[in-house]
Amino acid sequence: MRGLILALAFMCASAPAFAQNVSLSAPEWATRLLGSDILPTNGGRAVLATDGVDLSVRVTISPYQGGVARVIRYDSGPQKNELALRRFTGHPTTGWLMWGGDMPIVTAPPETTRAEIEPLARAVANMPAVVLRRGGAQQTQPSICPNGERIFLEVFVDGRASSALRDCMDEAEAGQLARKLSDLAGSRDEDELIAAGRAELLAVDRAFSARLAANGQVAALTAYGAQSLRLRPSASARTPQSARVSARGDMGWTSGRLATGQSYVTVWARDYEGAWKIAADGSRTAN
């Protein structure tokens, strides 16, 4: 593995600036999180430069006191405007567990995002180069860090890649850029994370219910049913009302009413790509 990393470092060092993998300069704490977003098989990308993208920013955020860590990537180009988010729960000293599935949550931010991100990205790219020592980042929260989060920034703009490390999400350009992406992505703390999970799962149940009403049970279960599903949901029209998710974000359940007057509970589990699939379903006569 060490030999592979050295080989990749040599190739990136000898490649044109636009193709450099600046993730190789990440400190150890960020590398543990970044690994989830540099594998092509799960929607990641080691090198920020890619076809159709002329502005890309990735920020890795780790709270000193534990809670929710995130890797957020913003990609922009002539036909591209995309925000990819990966979330983790845990603590820097005990490790991080990915929240949800392996695939990132991908959304389209407001069209005004590029105009806000681009000048900050250029400011970060023009900062003096800093040599980052792997494993050399602070392990305790600085005394002057009101947000309690450290950040590692990677920027691709104007045809070149660069990176920046900060022990605090301060008010300088790097901190402003990280905060802007943090606000766009959401899930900044545990309350936001759980709220986002509930909203996501409730939206999935609504989509399943709409497919069920429009195309029938077979088509709906083909799209949303787990292969191991034994008890099929009722073919009656559904009205989803509430949702809950587990602490890891990999399981959850929704509840609502059927057109028959009964109430239902559907248990959902994520597949390896992070998509929600029905694992079990049941209904009963409403009180």
Side-chain angles (χ1 to χ4, degrees):
M1 179 61 72
R2 181 182 296 273
L4 177 60
I5 292 175
L6 290 175
L8 288 172
F10 174 79
M11 287 190 296
C12 290
S14 61
F18 72 85
Q20 287 186 6
N21 180 359
V22 291
S23 295
L24 293 175
S25 65
E28 185 178 356
W29 67 263
T31 300
R32 301 191 196 107
L33 300 169
L34 266 174
S36 67
D37 200 54
I38 62 176
L39 298 175
T41 54
N42 65 3
R45 195 167 75 243
V47 178
L48 291 181
T50 190
D51 291 341
V53 172
D54 54 31
L55 169 65
S56 185
V57 180
R58 179 163 50 201
V59 59
T60 304
I61 304 173
S62 174
Y64 284 95
Q65 302 303 320
V68 181
R70 290 163 297 154
V71 177
I72 306 163
R73 175 164 40 84
Y74 171 69
D75 292 327
S76 177
Q79 304 296 326
K80 191 89 164 181
N81 181 46
E82 185 175 281
L83 195 71
L85 168 67
R86 298 181 191 275
R87 300 164 291 187
F88 306 81
T89 56
H91 193 278
T93 59
T94 56
W96 299 99
L97 293 173
M98 186 177 290
W99 195 91
D102 291 342
M103 299 296 289
I105 301 297
V106 177
T107 56
E111 292 297 329
T112 57
T113 298
R114 177 164 181 140
E116 299 170 349
I117 294 295
E118 191 165 0
L120 292 172
R122 284 204 172 98
V124 172
N126 291 326
M127 290 177 180
V130 178
V131 177
L132 303 179
R133 293 180 300 166
R134 188 174 293 276
Q138 286 181 251
Q139 297 300 312
T140 57
Q141 181 178 350
S143 58
I144 49 172
C145 190
N147 294 302
E149 295 174 320
R150 54 189 169 184
I151 60 175
F152 176 66
L153 270 167
E154 303 161 78
V155 173
F156 171 72
V157 65
D158 296 333
R160 62 192 181 95
S162 57
S163 62
L165 171 69
R166 294 293 181 271
D167 284 329
C168 187
M169 195 187 296
D170 55 24
E171 295 303 319
E173 287 89 348
Q176 291 181 44
L177 179 55
R179 186 174 295 107
K180 177 63 180 177
L181 290 174
S182 174
D183 291 345
L184 282 171
S187 298
R188 289 165 292 192
D189 53 38
E190 292 181 357
D191 288 341
E192 281 193 1
L193 183 69
I194 295 301
R198 288 175 176 173
E200 177 190 348
L201 186 53
L202 191 57
V204 170
D205 192 2
R206 287 173 177 151
F208 167 73
S209 299
R211 178 74 67 89
L212 186 69
N215 304 111
Q217 189 181 63
V218 174
L221 288 177
T222 299
Y224 292 95
Q227 292 184 354
S228 59
L229 183 64
R230 293 291 181 267
L231 181 61
R232 294 189 171 192
S234 169
S236 176
R238 298 155 55 102
T239 303
Q241 295 178 325
S242 63
R244 294 290 185 272
V245 292
S246 66
R248 282 290 313 280
D250 54 354
M251 292 193 69
W253 62 95
T254 54
S255 61
R257 293 298 179 97
L258 299 174
T260 59
Q262 294 177 303
S263 62
Y264 74 86
V265 174
T266 302
V267 179
W268 301 79
R270 291 189 191 268
D271 63 16
Y272 72 97
E273 290 184 341
W276 289 107
K277 299 294 184 180
I278 296 175
D281 185 90
S283 61
R284 63 181 176 81
T285 302
N287 294 327

